[in-house]
Amino acid sequence: TMSLREHALSLFRGAVGTVRPASMLKRALKLQGDGCPQLLVKGQAFPVKRDLYLVGFGKAVLGMAAAAEEILGDHLTRGIINVPLGIQESLQRAGMQEMLLKPHSKIQVIEGAKNNLPDEEALKGAAAILELAKGLTADDLLLVLISGGGSALLPAPIPPIVLKEKEKLTKMLASRGAAIQELNVVRKTLSMLKGGGLAQLAHPAQVVSLILSDVIGDPLDIIASGPTAPSSHGVQDCLQILTKYNLLHELPKSVETVLSSSPTKPTAPDNYTHVSNFILGSNTLALEEAKRQAEGLGYAALVLSAAVQGEVSRIATLYCQLIQLVCLGFASLGKGPLSDELRRSLLQLAAEQHIPGLDLDEFLQALRGLGPDRPVCILAGGETTVQLQGTGKGGRNQELALRVGLGLHKAQATGASSPQGRCEILFLSGGTDGQDGPTEAAGAFCSPGLVAEALQEGLDVEAFLRNNDSYTFFSQFQGGHHLLVTGLTGTNVMDIQAILIRAM
């Protein structure tokens, strides 16, 4: 029989495969007719009256552009895309030719944003995209490809702000624990292209955006900082966030200038009638595919949520309690004081985390309905946050996996949930873009047994966690067998977690 690790890996790969650029675009985009050709997006038609242009930015955009150019053929006039530094070489090395543009492509590629931070190259690319958008007429059609990481690849700070100042501000916010949503609100407010800026500049041309979402709940104005969507945030929101993290008195002069002269209200949505936004891929789609595959492997599979967010230690506790509950069910102890207590604790924890769209009560009902004879697979997605305390190497997925493993080991050791001992448990967390923090791993697999073994060998698991050093733990131990290493995937829809449990 396949190991739980092999199952988890296969689910993860299936989930990622379904949101790869080529398969996504081919499902959604068609070009038909020669006289006056029409672009069909999910069945909606857009006439190509004159010229068809393409711009794009994000980690997955190179593959999206390659697939789009194949579909558009000679109808494409010209394109410019901003993609992460080194991505062409990485994809070449990985043998992923289908994600690369053909030699005589009409699309110009600009690589920038080293380490996902805006830089001079990204700035140049953004300026080129800005110029192209400004020159469009009412008869032109602009196809915009957007994916996660697009924010760093589209820096065009409103003068007099310079890139270094905007970067420094973003870093200060991140180091104080600001959520990605908050960072994006601040970035948008200080940008010429974000927050609907690109769509406004392209007016009166028809703008059609194809979006691969890497943000919880797929809000159009947040993904890549919403260059083609009306912003629901204004200067007030930006000031509120800067106040919350005590940064109002540390702002560069230029930022103060822009904030004091910006319009207080966001642009009205009726100025966006020339824009159509389509979400082609998301975490939800990836989880649906993983669920299908898990059922194919014989699991009773449930999706918890595609919007898991919050501090990694809290989310680890949530997963640990969920796993213990399933194990109690396996040991036919699913009705009793222990499981009632776990249930109460879980509901409280979930309420504190404000996970959008999660009905835990309903989920626990569904869990109760599963027979003890089938292995269980619980799937979830989203993006957790880590408050950095140490100087170690790792990422949110590896840290989450290690925390879950340790939490389960501790629960077992205190004997509070001995039934766990009769279950084989594996937890996997991975970034769908194939990257997790500054390491070559996308995430990690962990189990209570792994932690027990590490402790027996004298490794101080808690010290690794205190130092945010999960990568070093996993790579030192068992030859890194528990690291999830996929290489670049060419796509990005946040993270995916899989919990696999079977009776021993």
Side-chain angles (χ1 to χ4, degrees), residues 236-468:
Q236 279 325 103
D237 301 285
C238 180
L239 291 169
Q240 232 167 355
I241 291 164
L242 295 170
T243 308
K244 176 178 169 185
Y245 294 103
N246 269 335
L247 284 170
L248 268 189
H249 306 296
E250 297 179 44
L251 296 178
K253 199 91 210 98
S254 59
V255 173
E256 284 182 9
T257 306
V258 168
L259 288 175
S260 61
S261 62
S262 296
T264 47
K265 288 202 165 43
T267 316
D270 51 10
N271 295 4
Y272 289 84
T273 50
H274 63 299
V275 185
S276 297
N277 289 305
F278 295 92
I279 290 193
L280 298 195
S282 64
N283 191 277
T284 304
L285 274 169
L287 288 176
E288 280 167 10
E289 179 58 25
K291 178 175 190 278
R292 215 178 55 77
Q293 300 218 1
E295 287 167 347
L297 290 167
Y299 285 86
L302 293 171
V303 174
L304 179 68
S305 164
V308 173
Q309 58 186 353
E311 222 286 306
V312 65
S313 58
R314 308 288 293 156
I315 298 301
T317 306
L318 181 87
Y319 285 145
C320 284
Q321 294 184 348
L322 208 48
I323 291 166
Q324 287 167 348
L325 205 54
V326 175
C327 290
L328 284 172
F330 272 161
S332 310
L333 298 169
K335 296 180 177 61
L338 188 55
S339 76
D340 291 343
E341 188 188 326
L342 266 174
R343 235 180 223 101
R344 270 197 302 278
S345 168
L346 258 172
L347 289 166
Q348 191 183 338
L349 201 58
E352 284 165 20
Q353 291 309 311
H354 303 298
I355 295 169
L358 170 61
D359 184 342
L360 192 61
D361 244 342
E362 195 182 307
F363 183 82
L364 294 178
Q365 279 309 112
L367 207 52
R368 244 181 187 160
L370 303 177
D373 38 357
R374 270 174 82 193
V376 170
C377 169
I378 297 173
L379 295 157
E383 200 161 274
T384 55
T385 42
V386 175
Q387 295 261 352
L388 286 177
Q389 257 127 29
T391 53
K393 250 179 123 171
R396 57 179 183 259
N397 289 292
Q398 295 164 69
E399 181 154 327
L400 179 60
L402 189 51
R403 282 183 182 279
V404 169
L406 180 64
L408 290 171
H409 169 77
K410 280 182 169 169
Q412 218 162 337
T414 57
S417 69
S418 48
Q420 205 183 288
R422 296 179 222 166
C423 281
E424 190 188 353
I425 302 163
L426 183 80
F427 178 83
L428 162 70
S429 188
T432 53
D433 59 355
Q435 294 169 309
D436 184 37
T439 70
E440 87 281 9
F445 304 88
C446 201
S447 66
L450 181 76
V451 171
E453 208 177 311
L455 292 167
Q456 263 169 350
E457 286 187 25
L459 288 178
D460 185 345
V461 180
E462 307 226 7
F464 281 104
L465 283 169
R466 273 196 303 278
N467 195 27
N468 299 115

Side-chain angles (χ1 to χ4, degrees), residues 12 15-21 24 57-61 64 84 87 99 116 146-151 153 180 211-215 218 223-224 279-283 286 382-383 396-397 430-436 488-496:
F12 185 79
V16 169
T18 200
V19 289
R20 285 206 171 197
M24 267 184 350
F57 26 89
K59 291 180 183 174
V61 157
M64 288 169 81
I87 191 164
M99 295 221 183
N116 205 20
I146 301 176
S147 81
S151 209
L153 286 158
I180 183 74
I211 302 165
L212 179 61
S213 168
D214 72 328
V215 183
D218 309 333
I223 303 161
I279 290 193
L280 298 195
S282 64
N283 191 277
E383 200 161 274
R396 57 179 183 259
N397 289 292
T432 53
D433 59 355
Q435 294 169 309
D436 184 37
L488 273 185
T489 61
T491 188
N492 180 21
V493 294
M494 301 184 287
D495 305 334
I496 283 178

Side-chain angles (χ1 to χ4, degrees), residues 44 46 206-210 228 272-278:
Q44 206 171 317
F46 300 94
Q206 172 75 55
V207 178
V208 177
S209 279
L210 308 182
T228 58
Y272 289 84
T273 50
H274 63 299
V275 185
S276 297
N277 289 305
F278 295 92

